[in-house]
Amino acid sequence: MSPRRLPLPRTLPSLPLGAAARERSRLLAEARAIDPDLPRSADAAAVVRSARRLARRAAQDEYARDGVRHVTLPPDFGRAELRRADIPGDAEFQLFTQDVIGALDIAPSTLEVDDARALLRSATARDGYGLGPEAAADLVSYLLSRAWALQEAELAERGARGEATLLPEGTPRSEEEFVAQEAATIREEVREALVRLVRTPLELQIARRRHEEIEAGRNDPAPAAEREGRPGRGEPSGSSPSAGAAGEDGGRASAGAQGATVPLDAAWRFASSETGRRAFGAANDFYRSEAGQKVFHAAKDGAGKLRKAYDRRGDRS
């Protein structure tokens, strides 16, 4: 498809370079409020991919939450057994898939960043499994709307630099068209993710184990506890007297000279949670920043000087 010259976006027709860059930074910051894993240099395409990941993850969580008890599963979960069972062709699975896709009501969003952030953290939007599909659809819509506006800001910034704004034929010319096009892609990706889930033994075993543990109350951290990095329900803290007791599978590791222990599954859940991703993302951003590099090199130089001091002290003894 040959590219064609497009006019500057109607909403940002004549912004100077600095204003267009600031608008792009603002929109990206609003998207990163929902997905902190987005790099600070992300473009509109990266925000779209983030929305797609969020939808797929919500569908997989919904299968663990509700699908495993409504879909007939074989007694064994080997690849051959799953292939013979043909779960994707089962009427129950198809009905479940349609229910999940139907819950993904994706449309141009009117949410402001504070509303989206509140929805992400709301106890009515998520549980121990993750986001419900309805809340996920609202956040996907929010991200897609930010991606559309970010694309306009990128075009305006390029126009302010005097660069050609060439886009392929068929590029959406309105937010409604853009969101509708991406929503169709997302629904198909969700369908494919659910089919893969019931054809891949490891993914299916994990979904079933999550369901059994959460329903039994053994693995159901409260959303607020996840966000704040505190142990959830049924998870002892590292300083608790009971934290040193190892589970049946020995799934606890020593943490510190005092013999405190931390559940490995709780640590994994924290690393996978919104708070964990945000913490690691912030740490990575700081390390890559100029200030972070200065701190790192200062610490490295200090450690080197301390080592030399100890060496000289040993030579004198």
Side-chain angles (χ1 to χ4, degrees):
M1 237 184 288
S2 61
R4 58 174 174 154
R5 182 178 297 275
L6 291 181
L8 289 178
R10 285 173 293 179
T11 55
L12 297 170
S14 57
L15 286 180
L17 179 59
R22 286 193 297 273
E23 178 70 3
R24 179 175 55 80
S25 297
R26 181 187 68 81
L27 291 165
L28 182 56
E30 292 183 353
R32 294 184 76 248
I34 302 305
D35 184 2
D37 287 340
L38 280 169
R40 297 183 186 278
S41 58
D43 57 7
V47 177
V48 170
R49 292 194 298 272
S50 172
R52 293 176 178 176
R53 286 193 301 271
L54 194 156
R56 291 195 302 269
R57 185 165 58 245
Q60 292 162 346
D61 290 340
E62 181 67 7
Y63 182 84
R65 178 187 294 114
D66 200 43
V68 294
R69 55 182 155 198
H70 292 302
V71 174
T72 303
L73 300 173
D76 298 316
F77 287 86
R79 200 173 302 277
E81 289 81 6
L82 290 177
R83 186 170 57 250
R84 285 194 294 268
D86 188 26
I87 299 174
D90 187 80
E92 288 181 298
F93 177 78
Q94 293 181 14
L95 182 60
F96 169 77
T97 301
Q98 290 304 320
D99 286 343
V100 174
I101 292 175
L104 295 176
D105 184 13
I106 300 171
S109 176
T110 59
L111 286 178
E112 297 294 338
V113 61
D114 292 341
D115 300 324
R117 189 184 291 114
L119 176 62
L120 180 67
R121 299 175 176 179
S122 170
T124 61
R126 67 188 309 143
D127 56 12
Y129 292 96
L131 282 170
E134 294 82 3
D138 290 340
L139 293 175
V140 167
S141 299
Y142 171 85
L143 286 173
L144 291 179
S145 289
R146 290 304 177 275
W148 167 256
L150 186 59
Q151 180 175 281
E152 289 190 320
E154 290 168 355
L155 286 172
E157 190 174 3
R158 287 162 55 187
R161 290 196 182 104
E163 299 175 5
T165 54
L166 299 177
L167 292 175
E169 290 285 349
T171 298
R173 300 299 304 274
S174 68
E175 182 180 358
E176 291 76 13
E177 185 181 348
F178 173 82
V179 173
Q181 179 176 300
E182 292 300 334
T185 301
I186 286 172
R187 293 188 183 98
E188 187 56 35
E189 287 186 354
V190 163
R191 187 188 305 277
E192 293 173 358
L194 290 173
V195 168
R196 172 184 166 83
L197 193 153
V198 296
R199 282 180 173 168
T200 308
L202 181 59
E203 293 186 26
L204 186 53
Q205 289 170 3
I206 290 174
R208 188 173 188 179
R209 185 163 62 245
R210 284 182 66 199
H211 178 81
E212 292 172 349
E213 291 182 351
I214 291 176
E215 292 302 308
R218 296 194 302 269
N219 187 12
D220 187 13
E226 274 196 349
R227 289 196 305 275
E228 297 170 14
R230 295 182 287 105
R233 187 172 67 212
E235 294 293 345
S237 68
S239 59
S240 169
S242 62
E248 293 179 1
D249 59 353
R252 298 188 185 280
S254 175
Q258 300 301 320
T261 57
V262 176
L264 292 179
D265 56 346
W268 181 86
R269 284 197 304 278
F270 173 72
S272 303
S273 69
E274 175 198 348
T275 304
R277 293 195 303 271
R278 183 172 298 171
F280 293 135
N284 184 58
D285 289 342
F286 176 72
Y287 172 75
R288 292 174 179 273
S289 67
E290 182 180 355
Q293 287 294 302
K294 288 181 180 178
V295 170
F296 172 76
H297 288 300
K300 185 177 179 181
D301 292 343
K305 292 177 181 178
L306 185 61
R307 175 72 178 270
K308 290 178 181 178
Y310 274 113
D311 289 343
R312 288 195 299 269
R313 184 174 168 184
D315 292 340
R316 289 196 300 268
S317 61

